[in-house]
Amino acid sequence: MARTALSLEALFHYVLAVTFAIGCAVVLVVGFVILTGALPVFGRIPVLQFLSDSDWHPTSGLYDLKPMLVGSLLTSVGAVGLATPVSLIIAASLNFFMSGLTASLLRRLLFVMAAMPTVIFGFWGLTQVVPLIGKLQAPGLSLLSGILILALMIIPTTTLLMDAAFAKLPKPLIHGAFALGATRKLTCFGMALPILRRAVLSAALLGLGRALGETIVVVMVTGNRAELPLSLFDPIRTLTANVTLEMGYADPLHGATLFLSILVLFVIATGLALLVHALDRTGGVSVDV
């Protein structure tokens, strides 16, 4: 039996190692393909031109990426800014203020929402949220609608990540706080949250990565106008939407600029992943007992 257990453990480690190697290889191949596709740009278009041109019109030799960069950052950061406190409140309620049955049902709902195709969020936003915003100020397809729908989309993911962090808190620590007379509110916000600050930040960063990479939602609800927004009610276009809308008819140089957009997103996503890994290594849940 012991020999069988050892062989199964060795097989398990071998499978993990192979899976890890395949995953690394896929990431490297994807990065290589993106970089290769973007290389023609560096020899023909000065990098600063992407920030200094007056418009985005590749067929006329204008390659202003500022509107798409700003659109991507504003929608993603705005969505995370809305989603993080909501997710934190829900996760705290699941662990400290809800009954076991209610918390279990809500977790199941969050899992269902996290697994939903994003086109469902986009369609709901297009048919329900956009008309409401349009009543405040036309056209409704706007930066604000993109922020709201992206926030709704990432709340389940960030909430479940924070909930998992709360679950890692040592039970004796929580019971000890209650034994000393601490209320649920004080235990949650005075003890648990300071311990979980890195885990909360990691969840927010992962939510930011998902929001930056989202395509169909922003295509459906933001208006796709390649201009810098002057208010929350202005239409915008993101990098992902720009690639989706234009790759099908782009000429080689135009296509290379779209690959450059993907490369920018790839670098940002990689940086976020490395930052989350660094936070986890320094202690997503740091408790000295």
Side-chain angles (χ1 to χ4, degrees):
M1 292 294 293
R3 184 175 299 177
T4 303
L6 287 175
S7 61
L8 287 175
E9 183 178 355
L11 177 62
F12 180 70
H13 284 293
Y14 175 76
V15 171
L16 283 180
V18 171
T19 304
F20 175 76
I22 293 173
C24 291
V26 169
V27 172
L28 291 174
V29 169
V30 169
F32 176 77
V33 170
I34 294 172
L35 181 60
T36 303
L39 279 178
V41 168
F42 297 107
R44 301 177 62 180
I45 303 175
V47 175
L48 290 179
Q49 185 176 341
F50 291 107
L51 301 176
S52 61
D53 272 352
S54 59
D55 195 6
W56 171 261
H57 204 284
T59 56
S60 301
L62 298 174
Y63 299 98
D64 183 23
L65 281 177
K66 289 196 305 294
M68 281 70 79
L69 283 168
V70 171
S72 292
L73 291 175
L74 289 179
T75 52
S76 301
V77 173
V80 171
L82 284 178
T84 299
V86 173
S87 298
L88 187 55
I89 291 171
I90 296 173
S93 300
L94 286 171
N95 288 272
F96 285 95
F97 303 106
M98 291 184 182
S99 66
L101 178 60
T102 303
S104 177
L105 291 174
L106 182 53
R107 285 190 182 97
R108 292 177 185 274
L109 177 61
L110 290 169
F111 275 114
V112 171
M113 290 183 66
M116 279 185 181
T118 55
V119 68
I120 295 176
F121 291 97
F123 183 76
W124 182 80
L126 182 63
T127 57
Q128 304 298 322
V129 177
V130 168
L132 288 176
I133 295 175
K135 291 179 181 179
L136 296 175
Q137 184 170 328
L141 297 164
S142 60
L143 170 62
L144 179 59
S145 61
I147 289 174
L148 292 176
I149 303 304
L150 280 180
L152 179 64
M153 186 192 74
I154 64 176
I155 280 174
T157 302
T158 51
T159 301
L160 290 170
L161 290 170
M162 293 180 192
D163 180 49
F166 273 103
K168 292 181 181 179
L169 283 171
K171 297 301 181 185
L173 193 66
I174 299 174
H175 295 159
F178 289 153
L180 291 172
T183 62
R184 289 180 178 271
K185 181 179 178 181
L186 180 60
T187 303
C188 176
F189 296 104
M191 183 200 73
L193 286 186
I195 294 172
L196 297 174
R197 59 187 181 277
R198 292 192 186 96
V200 170
L201 180 57
S202 294
L205 290 174
L206 289 172
L208 177 61
R210 187 178 182 199
L212 278 170
E214 178 53 40
T215 304
I216 189 64
V217 166
V218 291
V219 167
M220 295 177 74
V221 303
T222 59
N224 302 305
R225 184 184 297 172
E227 297 178 1
L228 288 170
L230 300 178
S231 76
L232 286 171
F233 298 98
D234 287 342
I236 55 112
R237 180 183 291 189
T238 65
L239 289 171
T240 53
N242 195 49
V243 172
T244 301
L245 295 170
E246 299 190 4
M247 185 60 83
Y249 62 84
D251 60 38
L253 184 58
H254 182 186
T257 62
L258 297 179
F259 268 103
L260 180 64
S261 301
I262 300 172
L263 181 62
V264 171
L265 290 173
F266 184 81
V267 171
I268 293 174
T270 303
L272 289 174
L274 292 175
L275 182 55
V276 169
H277 178 68
L279 288 171
D280 287 342
R281 289 195 64 180
T282 55
V285 180
S286 53
V287 185
D288 295 324
V289 292

